[in-house]
Amino acid sequence: MGSGLTVILMTLAAYRLARFLVHDTFPPIAWLRDKFTEPYEWPVDDPRRVTRVPYWFAYLWTCMWCMTVWTSTGVTVLVWLTLGLPAPLLVWGGVAAGAALVSHLEDFFTRPDDEE
């Protein structure tokens, strides 16, 4: 398989994994996401705020662009260890940018017409 096709497949895999973690309603993932993002739902200074995880971690879990960086890291490391990559840090940056771009394009093409 060519290296260009490998990077495209890595980008799509990183995007899909990020979307799975941030948006999908698969029960085990939704439960885990709710547990990790619960403090993010409440104001930071609210006394009822649960402090299981730091505020910044909950934010990173709900940010699609942030999550694409983490999922592209995992995908790049996995492919690097199994297939080998000539420049894994450069490939990682490209995969992260590509996955974030795919996320942005999905938001653009699926938004309602009245938001224009």
Side-chain angles (χ1 to χ4, degrees):
M1 179 170 17
S3 59
L5 181 59
T6 302
V7 171
I8 290 172
L9 292 176
M10 288 171 60
T11 300
L12 293 175
Y15 160 73
R16 184 61 193 117
L17 184 58
R19 190 178 192 299
F20 179 67
L21 293 172
V22 174
H23 294 299
D24 283 357
T25 58
F26 182 60
I29 298 298
W31 177 84
L32 190 63
R33 183 177 52 240
D34 290 344
K35 292 297 175 192
F36 279 129
T37 61
E38 187 175 357
Y40 181 63
E41 303 291 327
W42 293 351
V44 176
D45 58 350
D46 192 330
R48 299 175 298 154
R49 182 172 171 251
V50 180
T51 57
R52 277 186 228 134
V53 295
Y55 179 79
W56 59 267
F57 184 80
Y59 172 76
L60 290 178
W61 189 292
T62 59
C63 170
M64 184 65 173
W65 285 60
C66 303
M67 188 60 79
T68 58
V69 172
W70 297 111
T71 57
S72 65
T73 302
V75 168
T76 302
V77 168
L78 184 67
V79 171
W80 178 48
L81 293 175
T82 57
L83 299 177
L85 290 171
L89 287 177
L90 293 175
V91 171
W92 166 74
V95 170
L101 179 63
V102 172
S103 169
H104 179 70
L105 289 174
E106 179 195 21
D107 288 344
F108 178 77
F109 286 116
T110 59
R111 71 176 181 209
D113 290 333
D114 59 347
E115 289 185 13
E116 293 178 353

